[in-house]
Amino acid sequence: MKNKPILYVVVPCYNEEEVIEETTKQLKNKMEKLIADNKISNKSKVMYVNDGSKDNTWKKIKEIHKKEKYFTGVSLSRNRGHQNALLGGLMTAKKYADVVISMDADLQDDINAMDEMLKKYSEGKDIVYGVRSSRKKDTFFKRFTAQGFYKVMKFLGVDCVYNHADYRLTSKRVLEEFENFKEVNLFLRGMFPLVGFESDVVYYERKERFAGESKYPLKKMLNFAWDGITSFSTKPLRFICLLGFIILFVSIGIMIYSLVRHLTGNTVSGWTFLSISIWFIGGLQMISIGIIGEYIGKMYNETKQRPRFIISENLEEK
Ligand code: UDP
Ligand code: MG
């Protein structure tokens, strides 16, 4: 059993002045309780990451840091988006912490799930994913699009935890390995499963945003989903190839059909040649693009320079 770990809670904040005080209040209670119960070390902290906010968020974070023992903050030089802010926070927190939990600033994720996450950590899990057991509080549109997205990801062969966003616990060694994932198009919830080690899930009810409005408007959401797909799967390229083969196959049918029409004399002159050519060449072109795509896909994966293996235990070092 690991002894009282130092916990850092990383919270990205973009224009969250309306919620940060309430979040601080609730997290303060939680931290004090966890420390009193001897579950975490008293060196534990909440680390706010200011993602280039245009309101008073950073000012408030600095005030909170001055007043509160268990609160600290970092600020990005400009707005870089949720995923980059979160990564910045995780990589900073990893220097001081044994275990890190990431969550949103708006209290949508139930902070009481932290207890169970920490319990699983003490039982030896390196990653604990927070999973939404229901989305009753989300709008129909958000629910529908989000769940559709997870299904598409699964279809494309991406190893993604269903209904898990970025509420998760990660151990120090996971974060240290994670540093070797050098890609710039971040889709953290798809990247952590690639690290491996033992993982588990904790279920919680997703709540409504405490105050303020979503910082993920539809446009950002679509961008994010598209990044997720194209950063993790080269299958769309393979579909082009497949489509090419289908068209080439259809062209054989068209060929037979045209020849029959030609022989029975039901055509204007030149029609047979043209219709066969269009389909045949179309299919051939599609296959060629698909094959080029295959190579681009390979190059794409090579340029990411993801680590090729991660060792979890080495008996020589014991
Ligand atoms: N966020 C951020 N940078 C951005 C957009 C959002 O750091 O450019 C943070 C935001 O402050 C919040 C979290 O990301 O803590 C999730 O955003 P939000 O709650 O608005 O998304 P939703 O829950 O609606 O998907
Ligand atoms: Mg939210």
Side-chain angles (χ1 to χ4, degrees):
M1 167 114 177
K2 290 163 195 159
N3 225 356
K4 284 209 281 180
I6 301 177
L7 167 73
Y8 266 61
V9 181
V10 172
V11 186
C13 308
Y14 176 58
N15 296 348
E16 298 285 11
E17 64 178 2
E18 282 165 286
V19 298
I20 197 133
E21 269 141 22
E22 179 65 23
T23 305
T24 303
K25 207 170 103 201
Q26 295 200 16
L27 279 175
K28 185 183 170 196
N29 285 339
K30 183 96 252 165
M31 295 299 275
E32 282 171 353
K33 179 118 205 319
L34 286 169
I35 290 167
D37 290 348
N38 270 327
K39 294 215 175 102
I40 54 173
S41 148
N42 63 1
K43 295 200 192 90
S44 300
K45 273 179 187 169
V46 172
M47 179 179 267
Y48 289 123
V49 184
N50 172 38
D51 182 17
S53 299
K54 291 174 183 68
D55 62 3
N56 284 322
T57 303
W58 181 233
K59 200 169 144 240
K60 287 196 173 177
I61 292 173
K62 283 192 283 193
E63 279 165 18
I64 292 165
H65 168 65
K66 245 186 236 147
K67 269 203 306 232
E68 304 288 347
K69 189 166 162 225
Y70 301 125
F71 286 80
T72 179
V74 288
S75 186
L76 299 196
S77 58
R78 49 163 284 205
N79 179 253
R80 290 297 310 270
H82 175 219
Q83 299 286 295
N84 294 70
L86 185 51
L87 181 71
L90 290 174
M91 290 301 129
T92 314
K94 134 179 122 50
K95 295 182 206 152
Y96 319 106
D98 299 317
V99 57
V100 178
I101 293 178
S102 54
M103 67 164 70
D104 291 350
D106 56 6
L107 299 170
Q108 282 194 288
D109 306 316
D110 184 4
I111 63 170
N112 293 317
M114 281 167 60
D115 295 83
E116 220 184 315
M117 286 183 173
L118 286 166
K119 186 161 165 273
K120 305 229 163 174
Y121 170 75
S122 71
E123 289 163 6
K125 305 290 179 201
D126 277 286
I127 306 184
V128 186
Y129 300 101
V131 173
R132 296 160 186 181
S133 58
S134 87
R135 283 177 173 267
K136 276 185 238 126
K137 299 279 162 58
D138 275 341
T139 59
F140 170 77
F141 180 73
K142 176 104 186 184
R143 200 162 60 217
F144 181 75
T145 47
Q147 289 180 341
F149 171 68
Y150 286 108
K151 294 207 172 108
V152 171
M153 289 298 270
K154 193 153 178 229
F155 172 73
L156 292 173
V158 183
D159 184 11
C160 213
V161 180
Y162 189 71
N163 259 342
H164 158 69
D166 283 303
Y167 187 23
R168 83 176 80 71
L169 173 147
T170 41
S171 69
K172 192 186 188 94
R173 69 167 175 174
V174 165
L175 293 174
E176 256 153 22
E177 297 296 349
F178 198 75
E179 211 167 19
N180 296 325
F181 287 70
K182 300 288 185 202
E183 58 213 76
V184 286
N185 293 292
L186 296 176
F187 187 68
L188 298 176
R189 64 193 70 168
M191 289 160 72
F192 275 102
L194 296 178
V195 180
F197 297 120
E198 275 198 61
S199 66
D200 208 337
V201 296
V202 163
Y203 293 94
Y204 68 93
E205 289 260 342
R206 178 154 162 101
K207 298 185 206 157
E208 268 169 275
R209 193 173 232 286
F210 170 71
E213 47 191 47
S214 175
K215 308 295 181 289
Y216 260 102
L218 184 64
K219 190 168 155 245
K220 264 196 200 171
M221 225 164 78
L222 288 176
N223 264 334
F224 182 55
W226 184 243
D227 261 355
I229 291 170
T230 51
S231 299
F232 274 82
S233 177
T234 46
K235 271 200 188 171
L237 293 171
R238 196 157 284 176
F239 287 146
I240 300 177
C241 216
L242 191 71
L243 206 62
F245 277 108
I246 292 170
I247 290 177
L248 205 65
F249 192 70
V250 170
S251 88
I252 296 172
I254 301 273
M255 201 188 292
I256 295 168
Y257 170 75
S258 313
L259 285 176
V260 171
R261 289 281 298 260
H262 179 70
L263 292 176
T264 52
N266 280 332
T267 54
V268 291
S269 83
W271 177 82
T272 316
F273 178 72
L274 276 182
S275 54
I276 293 176
S277 311
I278 288 171
W279 280 85
F280 187 76
I281 302 249
L284 218 56
Q285 278 176 337
M286 202 77 105
I287 291 175
S288 314
I289 295 173
I291 290 173
I292 294 172
E294 270 300 300
Y295 285 96
I296 292 181
K298 298 244 152 71
M299 277 156 61
Y300 171 63
N301 282 328
E302 292 289 343
T303 52
K304 274 202 280 230
Q305 303 204 347
R306 282 180 184 164
R308 278 159 300 175
F309 56 84
I310 292 168
I311 292 167
S312 76
E313 268 175 85
N314 178 355
L315 295 179
E316 286 295 299
E317 283 178 3
K318 286 226 154 141

